[in-house]
Amino acid sequence: MRALDIRCAYALALVRLRIHPRNMNVMSELFEALGAAARLGTEHYTQQIDEPPMMFRDEPELSEAWHDGWDAGLEKALTTADAQLPPPDAAAAGISCPA
């Protein structure tokens, strides 16, 4: 889902939630839109895009979800990079880093 699709799905879910505040299907639609915003944030991290889409900037929940996804992409990259590095004392012990 691209930013405009996500924003539209989010807006529709908010309107439907005001009409049917206890409907679990509507709440699910809202959470799906927020999840899509987070996934887009992760995708944007891998593409080195560091600003949320313009469509998200005036919706705090969408912006926060996008930032959460971007942070998750960063965390994954750091974790992967750390796993590939030898321990600090490995070089002194003559242990080489795997290729």
Side-chain angles (χ1 to χ4, degrees):
M1 240 189 228
R2 303 307 323 159
L4 179 59
D5 294 330
I6 295 167
R7 175 62 186 258
C8 289
Y10 178 79
L12 287 171
L14 283 179
V15 169
R16 293 181 69 198
L17 192 59
R18 289 180 199 272
I19 297 167
H20 305 286
R22 293 191 177 98
N23 187 316
M24 294 306 287
N25 290 333
V26 175
M27 293 185 91
S28 176
E29 292 171 13
L30 182 67
F31 291 133
E32 177 55 37
L34 293 171
R39 288 188 297 278
L40 185 61
T42 302
E43 181 182 323
H44 280 178
Y45 173 81
T46 62
Q47 297 170 352
Q48 299 179 340
I49 299 171
D50 60 358
E51 291 287 326
M54 188 101 62
M55 294 287 165
F56 293 1
R57 292 184 187 164
D58 65 340
E59 280 295 343
E61 285 187 322
L62 285 176
S63 183
E64 183 178 341
W66 183 91
H67 279 97
D68 288 346
W70 197 93
D71 290 344
L74 172 63
E75 182 70 28
K76 182 177 179 183
L78 291 174
T79 303
T80 303
D82 286 346
Q84 294 175 357
L85 295 175
D89 60 344
I95 301 171
S96 62
C97 183

